[in-house]
Amino acid sequence: MIVTVASFKGGVGKTVSAVHLAAYLRQSGSTVLVDGDPNRSATGWAGRGQLPFKVVDERQAVRYAREFEHIVIDTEARPNREDLETLAGGCDLLVIPTTPDALALDALLLLVDTLEEIEANRYRILLTLIPPRPSRDGEQARTTLLDAGLPLFQGEVRRLVAFQKAALEGVPVYQVKDPRACQGWEDYVWIGKEVLRGQRQIRQPA
């Protein structure tokens, strides 16, 4: 399975999502994360510690692709139309993370418009960096997206300091000594299960 993570805006948890989806998928089969972001955030993450899967850049992807059951691709932010056509056409699922703030949602809708223009429909939106209550930003964003008829993960990812610690230490969030680290991992386990469940449904014969 090939899962690509893309966004029109930086700072929405794109690399965090790619790393933790790869960590989850690694539990069900061999997994490689392809770092296609010029910032090489995933590569830097891996270099600071140890991740439970291999990280390669896009120039090495062809060499390693056949060796792994699952491929997760972390892309460059703000892909153009041509890039989106390639990304959407070359994966089983396009994951689009977004925070619940207005600017991120505006960027998300621009990306969705482009996906509709190129008739790409294998994508799902992931709400990330959800602030704790009493904020209702996450709930309101979910309602807005569902009312617009957009495909949305049932799960969402909370805003936790543990993710920043994980990036600094070069490990998945479940290895961080933080009282809420397990909550961060639970969020991505939920998302990972949705990814696998959706893929099994696609593969079932009609």
Short mmCIF file of all heavy atoms in Angstrom, two decimals, residues 82-128:
data_model
loop_
_atom_site.label_atom_id
_atom_site.label_comp_id
_atom_site.label_asym_id
_atom_site.label_seq_id
_atom_site.Cartn_x
_atom_site.Cartn_y
_atom_site.Cartn_z
N GLU A 82 0.29 19.99 -11.28
CA GLU A 82 0.97 18.85 -11.89
C GLU A 82 1.48 17.87 -10.84
O GLU A 82 1.36 16.65 -10.99
CB GLU A 82 2.14 19.35 -12.75
CG GLU A 82 2.87 18.25 -13.49
CD GLU A 82 3.99 18.78 -14.36
OE1 GLU A 82 4.06 20.02 -14.57
OE2 GLU A 82 4.81 17.98 -14.82
N ASP A 83 2.05 18.42 -9.76
CA ASP A 83 2.53 17.56 -8.67
C ASP A 83 1.37 16.77 -8.07
O ASP A 83 1.50 15.58 -7.77
CB ASP A 83 3.20 18.39 -7.58
CG ASP A 83 4.53 18.97 -8.02
OD1 ASP A 83 5.13 18.42 -8.97
OD2 ASP A 83 4.95 19.99 -7.43
N LEU A 84 0.24 17.44 -7.87
CA LEU A 84 -0.91 16.77 -7.28
C LEU A 84 -1.41 15.63 -8.16
O LEU A 84 -1.80 14.57 -7.66
CB LEU A 84 -2.05 17.77 -7.04
CG LEU A 84 -2.07 18.47 -5.69
CD1 LEU A 84 -3.25 19.43 -5.61
CD2 LEU A 84 -2.15 17.45 -4.55
N GLU A 85 -1.42 15.85 -9.46
CA GLU A 85 -1.84 14.79 -10.37
C GLU A 85 -0.95 13.56 -10.21
O GLU A 85 -1.42 12.42 -10.17
CB GLU A 85 -1.80 15.27 -11.82
CG GLU A 85 -2.95 16.19 -12.19
CD GLU A 85 -3.01 16.45 -13.68
OE1 GLU A 85 -2.36 17.40 -14.13
OE2 GLU A 85 -3.70 15.69 -14.39
N THR A 86 0.35 13.80 -10.11
CA THR A 86 1.30 12.70 -9.95
C THR A 86 1.12 12.02 -8.60
O THR A 86 1.09 10.78 -8.51
CB THR A 86 2.74 13.21 -10.09
OG1 THR A 86 2.90 13.82 -11.37
CG2 THR A 86 3.75 12.08 -9.94
N LEU A 87 1.00 12.83 -7.55
CA LEU A 87 0.88 12.28 -6.20
C LEU A 87 -0.41 11.47 -6.04
O LEU A 87 -0.40 10.36 -5.53
CB LEU A 87 0.92 13.41 -5.17
CG LEU A 87 2.23 14.17 -5.03
CD1 LEU A 87 2.05 15.37 -4.11
CD2 LEU A 87 3.33 13.25 -4.50
N ALA A 88 -1.52 12.06 -6.47
CA ALA A 88 -2.81 11.40 -6.30
C ALA A 88 -2.92 10.15 -7.16
O ALA A 88 -3.52 9.15 -6.77
CB ALA A 88 -3.94 12.37 -6.64
N GLY A 89 -2.33 10.21 -8.36
CA GLY A 89 -2.41 9.06 -9.26
C GLY A 89 -1.49 7.93 -8.88
O GLY A 89 -1.69 6.79 -9.31
N GLY A 90 -0.48 8.22 -8.06
CA GLY A 90 0.51 7.21 -7.74
C GLY A 90 0.38 6.60 -6.36
O GLY A 90 1.30 5.94 -5.88
N CYS A 91 -0.76 6.81 -5.69
CA CYS A 91 -0.92 6.25 -4.35
C CYS A 91 -2.29 5.61 -4.18
O CYS A 91 -3.22 5.85 -4.95
CB CYS A 91 -0.71 7.33 -3.28
SG CYS A 91 -1.98 8.60 -3.22
N ASP A 92 -2.39 4.79 -3.13
CA ASP A 92 -3.67 4.18 -2.79
C ASP A 92 -4.54 5.13 -1.98
O ASP A 92 -5.77 5.06 -2.03
CB ASP A 92 -3.45 2.90 -2.00
CG ASP A 92 -2.68 1.86 -2.82
OD1 ASP A 92 -3.22 1.42 -3.85
OD2 ASP A 92 -1.55 1.53 -2.43
N LEU A 93 -3.90 6.00 -1.19
CA LEU A 93 -4.64 6.97 -0.39
C LEU A 93 -3.80 8.23 -0.21
O LEU A 93 -2.62 8.16 0.14
CB LEU A 93 -4.98 6.38 0.98
CG LEU A 93 -5.70 7.33 1.94
CD1 LEU A 93 -7.10 7.68 1.40
CD2 LEU A 93 -5.81 6.72 3.33
N LEU A 94 -4.43 9.37 -0.45
CA LEU A 94 -3.80 10.67 -0.21
C LEU A 94 -4.36 11.22 1.10
O LEU A 94 -5.57 11.45 1.22
CB LEU A 94 -4.11 11.62 -1.36
CG LEU A 94 -3.46 13.01 -1.32
CD1 LEU A 94 -1.94 12.91 -1.41
CD2 LEU A 94 -3.99 13.88 -2.46
N VAL A 95 -3.51 11.37 2.10
CA VAL A 95 -3.90 11.90 3.40
C VAL A 95 -3.58 13.38 3.44
O VAL A 95 -2.44 13.78 3.18
CB VAL A 95 -3.17 11.16 4.54
CG1 VAL A 95 -3.51 11.78 5.89
CG2 VAL A 95 -3.51 9.68 4.53
N ILE A 96 -4.59 14.20 3.75
CA ILE A 96 -4.42 15.65 3.76
C ILE A 96 -4.65 16.17 5.18
O ILE A 96 -5.79 16.34 5.61
CB ILE A 96 -5.40 16.33 2.79
CG1 ILE A 96 -5.29 15.71 1.39
CG2 ILE A 96 -5.13 17.83 2.74
CD1 ILE A 96 -6.35 16.21 0.43
N PRO A 97 -3.57 16.41 5.92
CA PRO A 97 -3.73 16.95 7.27
C PRO A 97 -4.05 18.44 7.24
O PRO A 97 -3.57 19.17 6.36
CB PRO A 97 -2.38 16.68 7.93
CG PRO A 97 -1.41 16.63 6.80
CD PRO A 97 -2.16 16.13 5.60
N THR A 98 -4.85 18.88 8.19
CA THR A 98 -5.14 20.30 8.33
C THR A 98 -5.44 20.61 9.79
O THR A 98 -6.02 19.79 10.50
CB THR A 98 -6.35 20.73 7.47
OG1 THR A 98 -6.55 22.15 7.62
CG2 THR A 98 -7.63 20.02 7.89
N THR A 99 -5.01 21.77 10.22
CA THR A 99 -5.40 22.25 11.54
C THR A 99 -6.78 22.91 11.42
O THR A 99 -7.23 23.22 10.31
CB THR A 99 -4.37 23.27 12.06
OG1 THR A 99 -4.18 24.29 11.07
CG2 THR A 99 -3.04 22.60 12.33
N PRO A 100 -7.48 23.12 12.54
CA PRO A 100 -8.84 23.64 12.46
C PRO A 100 -8.97 25.15 12.33
O PRO A 100 -10.08 25.67 12.35
CB PRO A 100 -9.46 23.15 13.79
CG PRO A 100 -8.32 23.09 14.73
CD PRO A 100 -7.13 22.67 13.91
N ASP A 101 -7.85 25.87 12.16
CA ASP A 101 -7.94 27.33 12.05
C ASP A 101 -8.36 27.74 10.65
O ASP A 101 -8.22 26.99 9.68
CB ASP A 101 -6.60 27.97 12.43
CG ASP A 101 -5.48 27.55 11.49
OD1 ASP A 101 -4.93 26.46 11.71
OD2 ASP A 101 -5.18 28.29 10.55
N ALA A 102 -8.84 28.95 10.53
CA ALA A 102 -9.43 29.44 9.28
C ALA A 102 -8.45 29.45 8.12
O ALA A 102 -8.79 29.07 7.00
CB ALA A 102 -10.01 30.85 9.49
N LEU A 103 -7.20 29.88 8.36
CA LEU A 103 -6.22 29.95 7.28
C LEU A 103 -5.90 28.55 6.72
O LEU A 103 -5.79 28.37 5.51
CB LEU A 103 -4.94 30.62 7.77
CG LEU A 103 -5.03 32.12 8.08
CD1 LEU A 103 -3.71 32.64 8.62
CD2 LEU A 103 -5.44 32.91 6.83
N ALA A 104 -5.75 27.59 7.62
CA ALA A 104 -5.47 26.23 7.17
C ALA A 104 -6.64 25.65 6.40
O ALA A 104 -6.46 24.97 5.38
CB ALA A 104 -5.13 25.35 8.37
N LEU A 105 -7.85 25.92 6.86
CA LEU A 105 -9.03 25.40 6.17
C LEU A 105 -9.19 26.04 4.79
O LEU A 105 -9.60 25.37 3.83
CB LEU A 105 -10.29 25.63 7.02
CG LEU A 105 -10.36 24.82 8.31
CD1 LEU A 105 -11.60 25.20 9.11
CD2 LEU A 105 -10.35 23.32 8.03
N ASP A 106 -8.86 27.32 4.68
CA ASP A 106 -8.90 27.98 3.37
C ASP A 106 -7.93 27.30 2.40
O ASP A 106 -8.26 27.05 1.23
CB ASP A 106 -8.54 29.46 3.50
CG ASP A 106 -9.67 30.28 4.12
OD1 ASP A 106 -10.81 29.77 4.18
OD2 ASP A 106 -9.42 31.43 4.52
N ALA A 107 -6.71 27.02 2.89
CA ALA A 107 -5.71 26.34 2.05
C ALA A 107 -6.18 24.93 1.69
O ALA A 107 -5.99 24.48 0.56
CB ALA A 107 -4.37 26.28 2.78
N LEU A 108 -6.80 24.27 2.64
CA LEU A 108 -7.33 22.92 2.38
C LEU A 108 -8.36 22.94 1.26
O LEU A 108 -8.33 22.10 0.35
CB LEU A 108 -7.96 22.36 3.65
CG LEU A 108 -8.81 21.11 3.47
CD1 LEU A 108 -7.94 19.92 3.11
CD2 LEU A 108 -9.63 20.82 4.72
N LEU A 109 -9.27 23.89 1.30
CA LEU A 109 -10.33 23.96 0.28
C LEU A 109 -9.75 24.24 -1.11
O LEU A 109 -10.26 23.74 -2.11
CB LEU A 109 -11.35 25.02 0.68
CG LEU A 109 -12.15 24.68 1.95
CD1 LEU A 109 -13.09 25.83 2.31
CD2 LEU A 109 -12.94 23.39 1.78
N LEU A 110 -8.67 25.01 -1.17
CA LEU A 110 -8.00 25.23 -2.45
C LEU A 110 -7.43 23.93 -3.00
O LEU A 110 -7.53 23.63 -4.19
CB LEU A 110 -6.88 26.27 -2.29
CG LEU A 110 -7.31 27.72 -2.08
CD1 LEU A 110 -6.09 28.59 -1.79
CD2 LEU A 110 -8.05 28.25 -3.30
N LEU A 111 -6.83 23.14 -2.10
CA LEU A 111 -6.27 21.86 -2.52
C LEU A 111 -7.37 20.92 -3.00
O LEU A 111 -7.24 20.24 -4.02
CB LEU A 111 -5.49 21.25 -1.36
CG LEU A 111 -4.66 19.99 -1.66
CD1 LEU A 111 -3.46 19.91 -0.73
CD2 LEU A 111 -5.49 18.72 -1.49
N VAL A 112 -8.48 20.89 -2.25
CA VAL A 112 -9.60 20.02 -2.62
C VAL A 112 -10.16 20.43 -3.98
O VAL A 112 -10.52 19.58 -4.80
CB VAL A 112 -10.69 20.06 -1.54
CG1 VAL A 112 -11.98 19.40 -2.04
CG2 VAL A 112 -10.20 19.36 -0.27
N ASP A 113 -10.26 21.74 -4.23
CA ASP A 113 -10.74 22.21 -5.54
C ASP A 113 -9.86 21.67 -6.67
O ASP A 113 -10.37 21.24 -7.72
CB ASP A 113 -10.74 23.75 -5.59
CG ASP A 113 -11.88 24.35 -4.77
OD1 ASP A 113 -12.82 23.61 -4.43
OD2 ASP A 113 -11.80 25.56 -4.47
N THR A 114 -8.55 21.69 -6.44
CA THR A 114 -7.63 21.18 -7.45
C THR A 114 -7.81 19.67 -7.63
O THR A 114 -7.80 19.16 -8.76
CB THR A 114 -6.17 21.48 -7.06
OG1 THR A 114 -6.02 22.89 -6.87
CG2 THR A 114 -5.22 21.02 -8.15
N LEU A 115 -7.99 18.94 -6.53
CA LEU A 115 -8.20 17.50 -6.62
C LEU A 115 -9.48 17.18 -7.41
O LEU A 115 -9.51 16.24 -8.20
CB LEU A 115 -8.28 16.89 -5.22
CG LEU A 115 -6.97 16.83 -4.43
CD1 LEU A 115 -7.24 16.36 -3.00
CD2 LEU A 115 -5.96 15.92 -5.11
N GLU A 116 -10.51 17.97 -7.20
CA GLU A 116 -11.75 17.74 -7.93
C GLU A 116 -11.58 18.04 -9.42
O GLU A 116 -12.13 17.35 -10.28
CB GLU A 116 -12.86 18.60 -7.34
CG GLU A 116 -13.28 18.13 -5.94
CD GLU A 116 -14.39 18.98 -5.35
OE1 GLU A 116 -14.72 20.04 -5.97
OE2 GLU A 116 -14.93 18.62 -4.29
N GLU A 117 -10.78 19.07 -9.73
CA GLU A 117 -10.54 19.41 -11.13
C GLU A 117 -9.81 18.29 -11.86
O GLU A 117 -10.07 18.04 -13.04
CB GLU A 117 -9.72 20.70 -11.21
CG GLU A 117 -10.49 21.95 -10.82
CD GLU A 117 -9.60 23.17 -10.78
OE1 GLU A 117 -8.40 23.05 -11.15
OE2 GLU A 117 -10.08 24.25 -10.38
N ILE A 118 -8.91 17.60 -11.16
CA ILE A 118 -8.15 16.53 -11.81
C ILE A 118 -8.82 15.17 -11.58
O ILE A 118 -8.25 14.12 -11.91
CB ILE A 118 -6.69 16.50 -11.32
CG1 ILE A 118 -6.62 16.20 -9.82
CG2 ILE A 118 -5.99 17.81 -11.63
CD1 ILE A 118 -5.19 16.08 -9.28
N GLU A 119 -10.01 15.20 -10.99
CA GLU A 119 -10.82 14.00 -10.75
C GLU A 119 -10.09 12.96 -9.90
O GLU A 119 -10.13 11.76 -10.18
CB GLU A 119 -11.27 13.38 -12.09
CG GLU A 119 -12.12 14.33 -12.92
CD GLU A 119 -12.61 13.69 -14.22
OE1 GLU A 119 -12.13 12.59 -14.56
OE2 GLU A 119 -13.47 14.30 -14.87
N ALA A 120 -9.43 13.46 -8.87
CA ALA A 120 -8.76 12.57 -7.90
C ALA A 120 -9.70 12.40 -6.71
O ALA A 120 -10.09 13.38 -6.07
CB ALA A 120 -7.44 13.19 -7.45
N ASN A 121 -10.06 11.17 -6.41
CA ASN A 121 -11.02 10.95 -5.33
C ASN A 121 -10.52 10.02 -4.22
O ASN A 121 -11.25 9.73 -3.28
CB ASN A 121 -12.34 10.39 -5.89
CG ASN A 121 -12.14 9.14 -6.72
OD1 ASN A 121 -11.10 8.48 -6.62
ND2 ASN A 121 -13.12 8.81 -7.54
N ARG A 122 -9.28 9.56 -4.33
CA ARG A 122 -8.75 8.68 -3.28
C ARG A 122 -8.00 9.52 -2.24
O ARG A 122 -6.79 9.40 -2.06
CB ARG A 122 -7.83 7.62 -3.88
CG ARG A 122 -8.56 6.60 -4.74
CD ARG A 122 -7.68 5.37 -4.99
NE ARG A 122 -6.41 5.71 -5.59
CZ ARG A 122 -6.18 5.79 -6.90
NH1 ARG A 122 -7.15 5.55 -7.75
NH2 ARG A 122 -4.97 6.09 -7.37
N TYR A 123 -8.73 10.37 -1.56
CA TYR A 123 -8.10 11.20 -0.52
C TYR A 123 -9.02 11.28 0.69
O TYR A 123 -10.23 11.05 0.61
CB TYR A 123 -7.80 12.61 -1.04
CG TYR A 123 -9.02 13.49 -1.25
CD1 TYR A 123 -9.49 14.30 -0.22
CD2 TYR A 123 -9.70 13.51 -2.46
CE1 TYR A 123 -10.60 15.11 -0.41
CE2 TYR A 123 -10.81 14.31 -2.66
CZ TYR A 123 -11.25 15.11 -1.63
OH TYR A 123 -12.37 15.91 -1.81
N ARG A 124 -8.40 11.60 1.83
CA ARG A 124 -9.17 11.79 3.05
C ARG A 124 -8.49 12.86 3.89
O ARG A 124 -7.26 12.93 3.95
CB ARG A 124 -9.28 10.48 3.84
CG ARG A 124 -10.41 10.51 4.87
CD ARG A 124 -10.55 9.20 5.60
NE ARG A 124 -10.88 8.10 4.70
CZ ARG A 124 -11.11 6.87 5.14
NH1 ARG A 124 -11.02 6.58 6.42
NH2 ARG A 124 -11.40 5.91 4.28
N ILE A 125 -9.29 13.67 4.55
CA ILE A 125 -8.78 14.80 5.33
C ILE A 125 -8.60 14.39 6.79
O ILE A 125 -9.45 13.72 7.37
CB ILE A 125 -9.76 15.99 5.22
CG1 ILE A 125 -9.87 16.45 3.76
CG2 ILE A 125 -9.32 17.13 6.12
CD1 ILE A 125 -11.08 17.32 3.49
N LEU A 126 -7.46 14.80 7.36
CA LEU A 126 -7.14 14.49 8.75
C LEU A 126 -7.02 15.78 9.56
O LEU A 126 -6.16 16.61 9.27
CB LEU A 126 -5.82 13.70 8.81
CG LEU A 126 -5.25 13.44 10.21
CD1 LEU A 126 -6.21 12.64 11.06
CD2 LEU A 126 -3.89 12.74 10.10
N LEU A 127 -7.87 15.94 10.56
CA LEU A 127 -7.78 17.10 11.45
C LEU A 127 -6.67 16.87 12.47
O LEU A 127 -6.65 15.85 13.16
CB LEU A 127 -9.11 17.32 12.16
CG LEU A 127 -10.22 17.97 11.32
CD1 LEU A 127 -11.56 17.90 12.03
CD2 LEU A 127 -9.87 19.42 10.99
N THR A 128 -5.75 17.83 12.55
CA THR A 128 -4.60 17.71 13.44
C THR A 128 -4.49 18.93 14.35
O THR A 128 -5.15 19.95 14.14
CB THR A 128 -3.30 17.60 12.61
OG1 THR A 128 -3.16 18.78 11.81
CG2 THR A 128 -3.32 16.37 11.71
#
